[in-house]
Amino acid sequence: MAVTAGRRERLLASSWWRAAAAIGAGALPALTFPAPSLWWLGYVALVPWLLLLRSATTARRAALLGWLGGAGFLLAVHHWLLPSLHVFILVLAGLLGLLWVPWGVLAYRLLGGSPGPGRVAAALLVLPSGWLLAELVRSWEYLGGPWGLLGAGQWQVAPALRLASVGGVWLVGFLLVAVNVALAALISAPRARRTALGGVLACGAVVGWVWAWAPVPEPAGTMRVAIVQPGVIDGPGSVGRRFDREEELTRTLAGRRVDLVVWGESSVGQDLGSRPDLRERLAALSRTVGADLLVNVDARRSDRPGIFKSSVLVGPDGPTGDRYDKMRLVPFGEYIPARSLLGWATSVGKAATEDRRRGDGPVVMRLPDANGGQRIGPLVCFESAFPDMSRRLARDGAQLLVAQSATSTFQHSWAPYQHASLAALRAAETWRPMVHATLTGVSTVADPHGHLIGERLGPDRSAAAVYDVPLARGTSPYVRTGDWVLYGSLAVLAVTCAVEGLRFLRRRVRKPAPERE
């Protein structure tokens, strides 16, 4: 039966339809990340959501659509966690989606109705700032960390990588939201189309200026780095068999004049302090290859209480004493926040049954002079998602960033590709090449410009690969100036709140007092 025009209008006005549309519109930007990598979609992905928000009937409805869209975005970006967290992922998405409630209200206030040039000009600054505020809050390590920042979807776009060297992934995200706001205004605000078009041109001008005038890293030689990726090894005795496979692959590097060999996260399953046999086997490998090994130990320590994940540098005489203990742990995967309240998560998913312990601070390790004497800055697993950690290592003198990872649980999802893409962003931000070495998943290397080099080892590979990694000297603008984009966004929001507060007070003052009888 044909749907009448009146029924169609009622359907489009339905709260249920708009709620479902908000969830779908919020999920759309997730397609810009690997594996789909539809990076070009990022420039229009927020437009449907913005149009829904501006057409809300009340600010309360806009807040609801902002919440549902935020939940949809987080569900789409983290959908690969579903096998591990089950229904709990819905709870997390619902809670974190609340961070987009203010953004929804701002979009309604600035773009709703028939906005003029002034409101659209304000929206071009305020809405990107509001988006970054939501990303900043959810980037707190105890809320899951900065996985899936909007700007990270542009990791393979050369102009975006140049922007990252100036303002980090935050500048890329700010301009992306601004372009989306301008396009939404072009569609829905006929009175301010010139302002919206000017916003698009201004964003393009910023990108052009950075491309033409921003400094670039200066070459400073090369370093030969080998990645050992054993691949998926399951079943009884998997820890020992994985070590045997890593040992076998490392021996093939003999005579290839490497400066450093990197193993993935949890590549060693026993504490080296209590296993002299493993220490000797690793030292023998170092002597055979002629280079130090950076391994990763996931075990209960013999010298400190608790389980640590640690990057350990091993030379021809055994561990050199350089050790980095992972500082930022994966919520639920490596510890449970507020375990007394949320401990039940272990019964519905693969949450950690015992909390890992945290390290005390970042560490910069120095290789022997025979292998170039370079300084390396290790990171473990999703620590590569935190821009401040790689920036700190670069400021502390690291010439090479190394991220050791393992994505065995999520081997056949988008997660390994998303994780590997972060190497490009961190390298571009810091002007320091980054090695992303995985136990399983995707291993890759990015040069100081953020461009991937050499062979990428995919999830189906069990191999050892050697990379000639270009080094760079100098300090990137982002390392030098820090998160100025975030501070600027917070200032914009503070001014917006002050202006709205003054307007509210003026309305109260002008409101006539009730007449007395």
Side-chain angles (χ1 to χ4, degrees), residues 53-242:
L53 292 169
R54 71 162 300 276
S55 63
T57 54
T58 64
R60 182 175 297 180
R61 290 285 181 88
L64 175 63
L65 296 177
W67 171 50
L68 293 174
F73 174 71
L74 293 172
L75 275 175
V77 172
H78 297 88
H79 72 276
W80 41 271
L81 286 172
L82 189 59
S84 296
L85 296 183
H86 299 297
V87 69
F88 201 71
I89 187 65
L90 301 176
V91 177
L92 290 176
L95 291 174
L96 294 180
L98 293 170
L99 296 174
W100 275 266
V101 166
W103 191 73
V105 175
L106 286 172
Y108 167 77
R109 292 289 302 275
L110 295 171
L111 297 179
S114 181
R119 272 206 285 161
V120 169
L124 290 170
L125 287 176
V126 175
L127 290 182
S129 299
W131 182 278
L132 290 194
L133 176 62
E135 290 195 328
L136 174 63
V137 175
R138 80 174 183 89
S139 294
W140 189 35
E141 59 178 300
Y142 298 104
L143 292 180
W147 187 282
L149 299 179
L150 188 64
Q154 306 299 305
W155 65 275
Q156 71 275 60
V157 181
L161 293 173
R162 289 288 294 276
L163 286 171
S165 72
V166 174
V169 68
W170 309 109
L171 179 58
V172 181
F174 186 97
L175 291 178
L176 274 178
V177 179
V179 169
N180 277 270
V181 171
L183 293 178
L186 277 172
I187 295 171
S188 63
R191 293 175 53 218
R193 281 180 176 153
R194 288 185 179 180
T195 304
L197 181 59
V200 175
L201 295 177
C203 292
V206 170
V207 176
W209 184 88
V210 169
W211 184 263
W213 299 106
V216 294
E218 299 179 11
T222 60
M223 180 179 178
R224 283 178 67 83
V225 180
I227 293 177
V228 173
Q229 178 174 302
V232 178
I233 299 176
D234 294 323
S238 59
V239 174
R241 290 187 291 112
R242 182 170 64 235

Side-chain angles (χ1 to χ4, degrees), residues 26 55 58-59 69 83 116 131 145 175 235 238 240 262 293 422 427 433 436 443 449 468 498:
S55 63
T58 64
W131 182 278
L175 291 178
S238 59
V262 182
L293 278 62
L422 296 174
H436 180 83
S443 295
H449 299 273
D468 290 311

Side-chain angles (χ1 to χ4, degrees), residues 256-399:
R256 301 187 65 178
R257 302 189 308 278
V258 297
D259 299 312
L260 176 68
V261 179
V262 182
W263 289 13
E265 180 188 12
S266 305
S267 49
V268 179
Q270 292 86 26
D271 177 55
L272 294 179
S274 58
R275 291 293 301 272
D277 57 323
L278 293 183
R279 292 200 306 270
E280 177 51 37
R281 288 172 68 178
L282 291 170
L285 283 176
S286 176
R287 293 191 295 268
T288 299
V289 175
D292 282 9
L293 278 62
L294 185 67
V295 301
N296 188 271
V297 180
D298 182 5
R300 193 176 303 278
R301 292 271 289 270
S302 57
D303 57 337
R304 295 178 63 180
I307 302 174
F308 288 80
K309 281 192 175 182
S310 307
S311 300
V312 179
L313 195 63
V314 180
D317 299 321
T320 64
D322 287 324
R323 181 188 192 108
Y324 166 68
D325 297 322
K326 185 177 182 181
M327 297 168 55
R328 295 183 180 172
L329 305 178
V330 180
F332 298 97
E334 294 171 339
Y335 79 103
I336 295 182
R339 183 177 285 271
S340 59
L341 296 176
L342 302 177
W344 57 269
T346 58
S347 63
V348 297
K350 299 178 182 178
T353 55
E354 179 181 351
D355 291 349
R356 299 295 196 270
R357 305 298 294 272
R358 299 175 186 274
D360 300 322
V363 174
V364 174
M365 304 176 179
R366 186 180 181 90
L367 298 181
D369 291 338
N371 293 112
Q374 286 91 356
R375 296 179 295 276
I376 62 174
L379 299 166
V380 182
C381 191
F382 95 135
E383 288 183 330
S384 66
F386 290 85
D388 66 301
M389 296 194 71
S390 54
R391 192 175 76 243
R392 167 70 182 275
L393 288 171
R395 294 183 66 175
D396 288 349
Q399 297 166 280

